[in-house]
């Protein structure tokens, strides 16, 4: 079964009617489309535009509309990029972006203006310059490899990057952010796993999963292969209107992740990427959802709800406050049932 890379492919595979395909052609001309063979098979028979998997990957006419506050670079990567392929936003960590291609293209992606088939990859010289930047900045303790999807790189190229970072004594952590385990699980091979680790370097993988329906047997098996190779996993989820914006959906997802040895790490409020307003709940709605999970779910199942501040200013915790200062040493503290208690200390 072949991957799908165009509206015509989606129509031919029975995932869209010809009429629906015509309605999204201008969207697909601007924002990349791709479904792996695994997702093509998984989505067979799931052609409802409101389906929580279908809506994540198949283009919608709503993407043609942008709001005034949306922007091409919603989290300000460009403003924090001292060297091509590097984003240095926080003192002790950098992003390393070796490529701008993905195995699949999520319809809500915050880098949707920058990624696509044949997406620009760093040349050998550019990669050397990016690694030299990390080598020269002794304050960098953690390198987050993202893109694009770094697990789309060949094991040989991944090994070279990981080994180069391992040779830098000040780098202790490499974290790879990937959709591959959920979108192309067979790509998680022994060769890939071997490429991800190196002496004196702790490798973590952040897997992007948004709905419990994504935790199919092949995906669970891929996650198990990563864990059993000694690689700890954290989960990244985007809060998406109509897909997971309910207590039931988030409970099922976070419990499912923990059962598969993935610690929920971040629940992202959707970024202000062009053409994605139909995916964005309000901050107040997100805060209410997160508040409702407190006390119902184990702490292991609780991610941090975050908002990436537009302009490159980093993430801010976005959950509603549980403690309110009253002056002096007096506070009002809300418990998980909503009752308020006085506290002094």
């Amino acid at each position: 079964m072949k991957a799908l890379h165009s509206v015509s492919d989606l129509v031919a595979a029975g995932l869209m009617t010809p009429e629906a395909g015509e309605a999204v052609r201008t969207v697909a001309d601007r924002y990349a489309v791709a479904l792996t063979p695994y997702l093509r098979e998984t989505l067979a028979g799931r052609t409802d535009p409101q389906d929580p998997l279908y809506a994540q990957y198949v283009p919608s006419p709503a993407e043609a509309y942008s709001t005034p506050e949306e922007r091409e670079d919603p989290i300000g990567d460009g403003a924090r990029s001292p060297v091509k392929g590097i984003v240095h936003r926080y003192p002790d960590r950098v992003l390393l972006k070796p490529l701008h291609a993905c195995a699949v293209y999520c319809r809500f992606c915050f880098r949707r203006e920058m990624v696509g088939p044949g997406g620009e990859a760093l040349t050998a010289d550019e990669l050397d310059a990016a690694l030299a930047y990390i080598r020269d900045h002794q304050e960098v303790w953690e390198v987050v490899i993202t893109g694009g999807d770094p697990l789309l790189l060949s094991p040989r190229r991944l090994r070279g990057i990981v080994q180069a970072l391992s040779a830098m004594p000040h780098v202790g952590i490499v974290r790879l952010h990937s959709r591959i385990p959920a979108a192309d699980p067979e790509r998680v091979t022994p060769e890939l796993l071997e490429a991800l680790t190196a002496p004196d370097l702790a490798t973590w993988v952040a897997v992007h999963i948004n709905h419990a329906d994504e935790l199919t047997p092949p995906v669970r098996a891929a996650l198990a292969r990563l864990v059993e190779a000694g690689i700890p996993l954290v989960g990244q989820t985007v809060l998406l209107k109509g897909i997971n914006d309910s207590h039931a959906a988030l409970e099922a997802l976070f419990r499912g992740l923990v059962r598969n040895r993935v610690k929920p790490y971040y629940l992202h409020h959707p970024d202000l990427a062009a053409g994605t307003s139909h995916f964005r709940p309000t901050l107040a709605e997100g805060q209410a959802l997160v508040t409702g999970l407190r006390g119902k779910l184990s702490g292991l199942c609780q991610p941090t709800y975050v908002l990436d501040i537009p302009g490159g200013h980093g993430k801010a915790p976005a959950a509603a406050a549980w403690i309110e200062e009253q002056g002096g040493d007096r506070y009002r503290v809300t418990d998980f049932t909503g009752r308020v208690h006085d506290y002094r200390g």
Side-chain angles (χ1 to χ4, degrees):
M1 190 176 289
K2 293 182 179 180
L4 308 177
H5 292 288
S6 67
V7 169
S8 297
D9 288 347
L10 293 170
V11 171
L15 292 175
M16 303 188 88
T17 64
E19 294 75 18
E22 285 303 315
V24 298
R25 284 196 185 277
T26 57
V27 167
D29 287 342
R30 179 172 180 183
Y31 305 118
V33 175
L35 270 73
T36 60
Y38 162 77
L39 278 176
R40 176 179 178 175
E41 184 174 5
T42 301
L43 288 177
R46 301 181 69 144
T47 56
D48 180 354
Q50 304 304 313
D51 180 90
L53 298 192
Y54 187 94
Q56 291 188 56
Y57 296 110
V58 179
S60 158
E63 295 175 55
Y65 303 96
S66 295
T67 62
E69 66 272 11
E70 291 176 343
R71 50 186 76 186
E72 291 186 2
D73 183 9
I75 68 169
D77 279 354
R80 305 291 180 174
S81 183
V83 173
K84 189 172 183 179
I86 293 286
V87 178
H88 197 167
R89 184 175 284 114
Y90 301 101
D92 73 334
R93 55 203 180 276
V94 298
L95 302 185
L96 172 61
K97 301 192 292 183
L99 80 168
H100 281 174
C102 297
V104 294
Y105 295 101
C106 302
R107 308 320 306 168
F108 46 86
C109 178
F110 69 97
R111 291 195 179 111
R112 63 198 326 235
E113 301 277 6
M114 309 169 197
V115 298
E120 183 181 7
L122 297 183
T123 66
D125 287 344
E126 289 166 345
L127 179 58
D128 285 345
L131 291 170
Y133 178 91
I134 299 169
R135 190 177 298 111
D136 292 343
H137 285 74
Q138 300 290 305
E139 73 274 22
V140 173
W141 176 74
E142 180 177 12
V143 177
V144 180
I145 306 179
T146 179
D149 196 315
L151 297 193
L152 198 59
L153 294 170
S154 69
R156 178 187 61 81
R157 292 188 67 194
L158 271 175
R159 184 181 301 107
I161 294 171
V162 171
Q163 293 287 341
L165 295 172
S166 176
M168 303 178 195
H170 60 287
V171 176
I173 304 291
V174 60
R175 181 179 7 138
L176 298 101
H177 285 213
S178 181
R179 195 72 151 126
I180 290 289
D184 198 4
E186 294 307 312
R187 187 178 283 272
V188 182
T189 62
E191 293 76 19
L192 178 69
L193 295 171
E194 188 276 333
L196 295 180
T197 58
D200 302 317
L201 190 66
T203 298
W204 291 64
V205 170
V207 294
H208 180 175
I209 299 178
N210 296 321
H211 196 275
D213 285 1
E214 295 179 71
L215 293 169
T216 63
V219 171
R220 295 198 303 268
L223 297 175
R225 290 194 293 275
L226 284 158
V227 172
E228 288 158 14
I231 299 172
L233 304 180
V234 293
Q236 295 227 112
T237 295
V238 181
L239 181 62
L240 297 168
K241 190 173 184 177
I243 291 174
N244 59 16
D245 61 333
S246 71
H247 289 125
L250 292 176
E251 286 177 26
L253 171 61
F254 297 147
R255 285 181 172 147
L257 288 172
V258 171
R259 281 291 298 269
N260 285 279
R261 296 174 284 182
V262 180
K263 170 67 181 84
Y265 177 40
Y266 279 146
L267 175 64
H268 291 270
H269 192 78
D271 296 311
L272 296 174
T276 64
S277 61
H278 56 295
F279 284 115
R280 267 196 314 277
T282 66
L283 268 171
E285 290 167 339
Q287 290 175 332
L289 283 167
V290 171
T291 298
L293 295 177
R294 182 63 58 181
K296 293 182 179 180
L297 294 180
S298 159
L300 281 173
C301 299
Q302 303 274 351
T304 300
Y305 180 41
V306 292
L307 170 71
D308 239 310
I309 304 168
H313 304 290
K315 295 179 178 64
W322 292 79
I323 298 177
E324 180 183 354
E325 186 176 357
Q326 298 294 298
D329 60 354
R330 300 181 64 87
Y331 301 85
R332 289 167 62 82
V333 183
T334 304
D335 68 24
F336 74 93
T337 69
R339 292 177 296 184
V340 178
H341 310 268
D342 291 324
Y343 176 81
R344 295 190 66 165

